[in-house]
Amino acid sequence: MSTIRANSPAAYWLAAPAALWMLAAVVVPTLLLVWVSFWGGRAFSTASPLTFDNYLRFFSNQAYLGLVAATFGQALLLMAITGTLGYCIAYFMTMKVSNARWRTALFLAFIIPFWTSTLIRAIAWVPFLGVNGVINQALIGLGLTTKPVEAFLYSMTGVTMAQVSLYTMLAAGPVVYMLTSIQPALREAAMTLKATPFTVWRRITFPLTLPGVVIGQVLVFLNVMSDFATVATIGGNKHALLGNLVLNFYEGSQIRFAAVVAVLLMVCMLAGVALALRVVDIRKLGT
Amino acid sequence: MPDGSVTISQLDLELRRIRKRYGSFTAVDDVSLQVGKGQFVCLLGPSGCGKTTTLRCIAGLEEPDDGDILIGGKEVTGDPPWKRDIAMMFQDFALFPHMTVAKQVGFGLEMLGKPKAEIAKRVAEVLKAFEITSLAERKPASLSGGQKQRVALARAMITEPRILLLDEPIGALDYSLRETVMLELKMLQQRSGISFIWVTHDQNEAFSLGDLVVVMNHAKIEQQGTPEEILARPRTPFVAGFVQGNNVFHGEAGTAAGGVLRVACPVGEFLVPLADLPAPAPGAAVSFSVRAERIADRPDPTLPNRVTARCTAVEFFGAVRRHILELADGEVLKYDQFGALAPRILPGQTVDLGWRAEDSVLHDAVLQG
């Protein structure tokens, strides 16, 4: 028996089905989208002339530019919150929960919400955040407030609360993986070299988990940038991010503008991933 | 040390009756140890005997449930590792994968808050001393086992701790490297004056390196002493059985006369000197050992201790010819012959063997538990 070499014909044949699928499901639609975003004229036809008009009109609209900024702002906010929370949860579960059963139970508790779709999870937050929702009932019950807080539902505060719960595990998961792959002896060695626990974390544990942190941040960034469901259900009609704009244009049959926003969103996300890869070499993960 | 001239302040390390349990499992039980200035101590025992836990208690990585630990005369039992005057070398070296060799070797000095210039100077000196200057900018993943071992040692020794703890430090090295590294480490220890506490399951390491060898089994110290003492006078059947070359006999104590005890075993009666031990009550279970090289074949009829055995195998160890024989009760007897070029006993042969009374070593009945 011999193994299949990376550059042999057999290797290419093995990669062919997946490559064809990716071509049909990802590459061609993406190229079509880019093409459509350059269509000029009024008619929705393949005979349309190619122009930059759609992009120029998009960028000359202050409201749309504000939306781009807001989307980036929301992504950065979520990255900061879920990054910190996620790291703490990951550290707690791997370092402080020594009982394997408890660890599994906690881990399941954290990932079970991910068994449902993003849309369902977003909608599930509505009864919690509403004026008569669980959170307000609890606050009133505890005597912390007399009037229900209206800021939770149909506000960006509510959207952020829901997104934090949805995406914290994305930030925590890769960190859990990196933390469990650090030999305990490394931290012990640092301690016997006179490092205090905080220094051990700063000089040994954190640098070794950094790739996990960055991967988690990329996942959160991509999800928040493309999230329209949470914003639509919890933000109501009052709030929108780029993802919702795509939907609005699409529902308004402004396919060319929908394509423009979709392309812009893709460019932003690619730029974010490219930036992250400059910090961490994903290919070196797991070695 | 046995002359009592050592006072507490001269001890690098003292363990007073330390005990460590994990749930219902006792990992270290009533371990006491005194290590004088600059001593080389080997903790020897089979895996799971508590030697590594003892080492981790000294390092502060585990806290004993009971007992005291003193380093340099100072009580440190509750202190965390970073407050103890120790360094440790780990079994797989535990090098920091994200740091260059120079950075890792300087880590201890950095933690002590030394100025940058001083750290750079000391690191350069230490790298030179350990002959790893050329590796300064490399990361651990690109180092060989022997190189990693040097880096780990340099990293541990740069702060000149009072005690260096070593957990199977050469166990991860190629067999061919071990002998050289052992010699280097022994010389380094003697030059530096740092006490070494070396954990190993390899008796060759322990006996060739240790000033003091501490044999552990089932969480307890079975015997401690110089290598010569342990080889010449094993105090328990475990130590005798663990140390290569001993034959252990179990039997019943008979009468004692003139400092010599009669021991009745299934394969015969033997004379065993009491040495410093009190005479056991007649009928008490006792054990003794005799070293394989102390036995003679076709013995002089005047030898008091005699057995008949059937040879099952012969092994060669350089100058030694080791015979494996089977006694009448099925137990194995080892008999070593030195410098014998021509075979005297062949497998399948039945021979008479014997040894002098003074070559039998009575085990301490109190310790047999």
Side-chain angles (χ1 to χ4, degrees):
Chain A
M1 286 290 289
S2 67
T3 53
I4 294 166
R5 292 185 194 175
N7 276 323
S8 67
Y12 285 109
W13 280 114
L14 282 172
L20 278 175
W21 177 254
M22 289 297 281
L23 190 72
V26 179
V27 178
V28 171
T30 304
L31 291 176
L32 280 175
L33 207 62
V34 175
W35 185 31
V36 171
S37 75
F38 285 104
W39 283 2
R42 309 282 313 161
F44 188 76
S45 125
T46 51
S48 302
L50 297 182
T51 70
F52 283 103
D53 284 355
N54 301 332
Y55 285 92
L56 290 175
R57 276 176 64 193
F58 182 88
F59 281 114
S60 61
N61 187 323
Q62 281 299 324
Y64 293 161
L65 290 183
L67 222 50
V68 175
T71 307
F72 267 107
Q74 184 70 7
L76 291 178
L77 179 67
L78 258 295
M79 283 159 74
I81 298 175
T82 58
T84 314
L85 267 183
Y87 200 98
C88 293
I89 290 171
Y91 196 89
F92 175 78
M93 293 216 305
T94 47
M95 302 291 185
K96 301 293 171 193
V97 185
S98 47
N99 184 315
R101 255 188 226 176
W102 267 111
R103 193 183 295 173
T104 311
L106 279 173
F107 203 77
L108 276 177
F110 280 115
I111 63 162
I112 280 173
F114 286 82
W115 292 357
T116 58
S117 82
T118 317
L119 196 63
I120 305 281
R121 271 180 291 142
I123 291 168
W125 270 93
V126 174
F128 275 84
L129 299 172
V131 175
N132 286 316
V134 174
I135 295 177
N136 269 320
Q137 301 266 358
L139 288 177
I140 292 167
L142 290 169
L144 292 173
T145 173
T146 47
K147 266 199 333 207
V149 180
E150 292 185 18
F152 292 148
L153 196 58
Y154 306 132
S155 73
M156 282 314 281
T157 313
V159 171
T160 305
M161 286 169 75
Q163 286 185 330
V164 165
S165 90
L166 295 178
Y167 302 137
T168 297
M169 275 323 275
L170 293 182
V175 178
V176 169
Y177 173 74
M178 294 309 287
L179 278 173
T180 48
S181 62
I182 298 176
Q183 280 180 56
L186 295 185
R187 293 193 303 277
E188 291 174 351
M191 284 194 273
T192 61
L193 292 166
K194 311 288 168 282
T196 56
F198 180 71
T199 310
V200 173
W201 178 79
R202 192 172 57 84
R203 296 293 306 278
I204 311 296
T205 313
F206 185 70
L208 292 175
T209 48
L210 190 59
V213 173
V214 173
I215 305 261
Q217 293 282 286
V218 168
L219 292 177
V220 172
F221 172 76
L222 293 180
N223 274 277
V224 176
M225 289 297 281
S226 60
D227 184 354
F228 66 93
T230 316
V231 183
T233 50
I234 294 170
N237 289 327
K238 290 189 280 182
H239 302 279
L241 295 178
L242 279 183
N244 307 83
L245 195 58
V246 178
L247 200 61
N248 280 356
F249 282 136
Y250 179 75
E251 284 170 349
S253 291
Q254 291 177 284
I255 304 297
R256 284 168 294 184
F257 275 111
V260 167
V261 182
V263 169
L264 278 176
L265 206 48
M266 255 183 322
V267 170
C268 291
M269 286 156 82
L270 277 175
V273 174
L275 192 70
L277 291 186
R278 289 190 76 88
V279 182
V280 172
D281 191 346
I282 288 187
R283 286 166 300 177
K284 282 194 184 154
L285 272 184
T287 57
Chain B
M1 279 238 303
D3 61 8
S5 65
V6 172
T7 59
I8 294 302
S9 66
Q10 283 172 293
L11 291 176
D12 272 346
L13 173 72
E14 190 180 3
L15 303 181
R16 291 184 187 151
R17 315 200 61 170
I18 66 164
R19 209 180 287 272
K20 176 76 189 170
R21 284 189 206 85
Y22 298 102
S24 60
F25 175 73
T26 303
V28 177
D29 194 5
D30 201 17
V31 164
S32 295
L33 181 66
Q34 293 196 334
V35 179
K37 252 208 134 2
Q39 259 199 322
F40 201 127
V41 180
C42 288
L43 300 184
L44 173 66
S47 62
C49 73
K51 55 194 194 302
T52 295
T53 309
T54 305
L55 197 75
R56 291 172 61 83
C57 284
I58 300 169
L61 297 169
E62 306 280 351
E63 200 181 329
D65 301 319
D66 251 321
D68 300 311
I69 300 171
L70 287 86
I71 292 175
K74 190 176 135 271
E75 157 92 41
V76 297
T77 316
D79 287 354
W82 56 91
K83 288 195 178 151
R84 299 189 182 196
D85 195 2
I86 51 104
M88 183 156 170
M89 221 177 118
F90 290 77
Q91 200 168 0
D92 298 319
F93 311 130
L95 297 179
F96 306 135
H98 58 303
M99 285 189 201
T100 62
V101 166
K103 198 83 186 152
Q104 27 218 315
V105 171
F107 189 82
L109 294 176
E110 218 184 303
M111 292 301 111
L112 294 177
K114 300 280 184 211
K116 276 211 168 95
E118 190 191 325
I119 295 175
K121 188 168 155 279
R122 279 287 291 145
V123 168
E125 285 169 13
V126 170
L127 292 183
K128 190 156 178 283
F130 283 88
E131 296 169 25
I132 47 176
T133 306
S134 61
L135 308 176
E137 295 312 313
R138 301 255 295 266
K139 289 201 178 160
S142 69
L143 303 179
S144 71
Q147 290 170 332
K148 282 183 187 164
Q149 195 260 355
R150 278 164 187 275
V151 173
L153 194 62
R155 184 179 74 173
M157 289 197 64
I158 194 164
T159 56
E160 292 169 347
R162 185 182 286 270
I163 305 170
L164 181 63
L165 308 169
L166 306 102
D167 188 4
E168 308 256 3
I170 60 174
L173 294 185
D174 282 349
Y175 209 77
S176 57
L177 268 177
R178 290 188 194 175
E179 201 106 322
T180 332
V181 171
M182 260 162 64
L183 195 68
E184 281 180 6
L185 283 170
K186 179 75 183 173
M187 276 161 46
L188 178 72
Q189 189 269 334
Q190 285 170 341
R191 271 203 316 272
S192 67
I194 296 173
S195 278
F196 276 29
I197 318 271
W198 175 297
V199 159
T200 182
H201 62 267
D202 184 324
Q203 54 184 298
N204 292 328
E205 273 175 36
F207 290 134
S208 55
L209 289 170
D211 301 320
L212 178 68
V213 175
V214 179
V215 185
M216 290 185 73
N217 186 37
H218 292 318
K220 287 185 192 242
I221 294 181
E222 291 259 341
Q223 185 173 1
Q224 48 180 306
T226 62
E228 293 80 6
E229 279 167 9
I230 289 175
L231 287 167
R233 284 208 59 82
R235 311 283 312 193
T236 70
F238 170 79
V239 175
F242 189 71
V243 172
Q244 273 171 28
N246 276 313
N247 293 296
V248 181
F249 289 84
H250 293 271
E252 219 171 70
T255 54
V260 177
L261 179 72
R262 284 185 178 278
V263 178
C265 293
V267 290
E269 196 177 57
F270 302 96
L271 292 183
V272 183
L274 284 166
D276 56 345
L277 297 172
V286 291
S287 63
F288 69 91
S289 52
V290 57
R291 293 202 56 79
E293 73 271 14
R294 296 290 187 173
I295 295 173
D297 61 81
R298 286 149 196 143
D300 190 312
T302 60
L303 276 182
N305 295 332
R306 311 168 65 95
V307 287
T308 304
R310 195 175 61 85
C311 181
T312 55
V314 181
E315 298 165 1
F316 299 93
F317 300 101
V320 182
R321 182 188 295 277
R322 165 162 296 178
H323 306 82
I324 311 292
L325 305 105
E326 198 183 278
L327 292 167
D329 63 348
E331 294 286 320
V332 169
L333 185 77
K334 287 166 284 190
Y335 158 51
D336 288 353
Q337 204 181 5
F338 282 86
L341 291 174
R344 299 193 9 140
I345 303 171
L346 296 171
Q349 267 185 319
T350 297
V351 288
D352 285 336
L353 299 159
W355 63 92
R356 300 176 302 170
E358 58 265 42
D359 288 327
S360 324
V361 178
L362 187 64
H363 301 145
D364 193 336
V366 182
L367 285 174
Q368 289 181 20

